[in-house]
């Protein structure tokens, strides 16, 4: 099925561990995004990638790194997880076509850092 | 600083009521305003608005944008329990900026 696929869906990490959240889209979209969602905070942008090979910081980039190796995939890495990074993470991709801003979200990754 | 403010933050109404959700914004280079519905998982797209005064409608949901006063409203008529969700407003300029959402709960 076409869309945005995120893995894993759930993860528990110990403080200091590292992990990579994977995101892939098969819609040939140029732009991809990583958000975190915390209670009462809405969706906050961590990093985004306007095209293959480019990445830019969003609102809350500290503690994260990203990689856009090809057009399909945009991964988010936590090098040394902290309890403050407990959150739900969403990947999204975007196409702008004839003035239409279409965003598609993945189903999310619920991360708990203990 | 670019920002998107939604109100109210939460709302509880009875089935059959009509609700109006608000979204105001301040951004540098407005391109479009988006409404999403989020239940248990990822947000799902409802509307995209780019022009003032043109109502977008889908069943019992409708939305309109006022680019002069910098706000949008989302109306839901004859609410049903299935409308219970968080409704997110987002504004697109160079990036997409989300509001904190309105949590709507419909009582049977």
């Amino acid at each position: 099925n076409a869309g945005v696929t995120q893995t894993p869906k759930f993860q528990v990490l110990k403080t200091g561990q590292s992990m990579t959240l994977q995101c892939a889209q098969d819609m040939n979209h140029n732009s991809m995004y990583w958000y975190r969602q915390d209670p009462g905070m809405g969706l906050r942008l961590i990093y985004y990638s306007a095209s293959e090979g480019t990445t830019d910081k969003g609102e809350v980039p500290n503690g994260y790194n990203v990689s856009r190796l090809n057009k399909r995939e945009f991964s988010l890495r936590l090098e040394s997880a902290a309890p403050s990074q407990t959150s739900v993470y969403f990947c999204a991709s975007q196409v702008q076509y004839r003035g239409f801003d279409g965003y598609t979200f993945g189903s999310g990754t619920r991360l708990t850092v203990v | 600083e670019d920002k998107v403010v939604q109100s109210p933050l939460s709302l509880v109404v009875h089935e059959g009521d009509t609700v109006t959700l608000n979204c105001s914004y301040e951004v540098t280079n407005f391109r479009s305003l988006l409404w999403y519905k989020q239940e248990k998982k990822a947000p799902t797209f409802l509307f995209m608005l780019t022009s003032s005064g043109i109502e977008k409608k889908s069943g019992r949901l409708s939305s309109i944008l006022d680019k002069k006063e910098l706000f949008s409203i989302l109306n839901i008529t004859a609410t049903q329990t299935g409308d219970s969700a968080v409704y997110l407003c987002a504004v697109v300029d160079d990036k997409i900026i989300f509001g904190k959402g309105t949590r709507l709960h419909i009582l049977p």
Side-chain angles (χ1 to χ4, degrees), chain A residues 47-58:
Chain A
Y47 271 93
Y48 68 102
S49 170
S51 61
E52 180 182 346
T54 68
T55 61
D56 287 285
K57 294 179 180 178

Side-chain angles (χ1 to χ4, degrees), chain B residues 28-69:
Chain B
T28 308
N29 297 304
F30 177 90
R31 204 166 78 196
S32 63
L33 186 144
L34 310 174
W35 283 99
Y36 287 86
K37 177 182 182 181
Q38 186 176 22
E39 295 172 271
K40 292 199 182 298
K41 289 193 173 179
T44 55
F45 175 79
L46 294 175
F47 298 111
M48 184 182 95
L49 303 156
T50 56
S51 301
S52 278
I54 299 174
E55 185 182 52
K56 293 282 183 87
K57 198 169 172 64
S58 176
R60 296 176 293 102
L61 277 66
S62 64
S63 184
I64 198 161
L65 174 67
D66 186 328
K67 290 169 74 174
K68 183 179 177 186
E69 300 297 329

Side-chain angles (χ1 to χ4, degrees), chain A:
Chain A
N1 292 332
V4 177
T5 303
Q6 276 184 248
T7 55
K9 294 192 186 306
F10 301 94
Q11 184 71 51
V12 178
L13 290 178
K14 292 183 179 178
T15 297
Q17 286 185 317
S18 63
M19 78 161 294
T20 300
L21 280 64
Q22 305 287 352
C23 176
Q25 52 92 8
D26 56 5
M27 298 171 286
N28 204 35
H29 288 176
N30 287 322
S31 299
M32 297 184 74
Y33 303 80
W34 274 105
Y35 292 91
R36 61 178 288 174
Q37 187 172 38
D38 302 295
M41 300 294 288
L43 283 159
R44 292 185 293 169
L45 182 63
I46 305 171
Y47 271 93
Y48 68 102
S49 170
S51 61
E52 180 182 346
T54 68
T55 61
D56 287 285
K57 294 179 180 178
E59 183 184 355
V60 287
N62 292 341
Y64 305 95
N65 283 302
V66 290
S67 179
R68 183 85 182 271
L69 294 176
N70 54 59
K71 197 170 188 179
R72 286 191 67 246
E73 297 170 302
F74 188 39
S75 61
L76 178 72
R77 183 160 178 83
L78 286 71
E79 290 291 351
S80 179
S84 61
Q85 294 178 304
T86 294
S87 188
V88 179
Y89 292 83
F90 287 103
C91 175
S93 70
Q94 179 225 352
V95 60
Q96 193 197 14
Y97 176 70
R98 293 184 181 177
F100 175 72
D101 288 311
Y103 289 85
T104 303
F105 284 86
S107 58
T109 297
R110 186 172 293 276
L111 175 67
T112 302
V113 183
V114 297

Side-chain angles (χ1 to χ4, degrees), chain B residues 6-23:
Chain B
Q6 290 186 247
S7 63
L9 290 180
S10 67
L11 186 58
V12 180
V13 300
H14 285 95
E15 206 167 21
D17 288 349
T18 293
V19 297
T20 298
L21 310 184
N22 304 292
C23 176

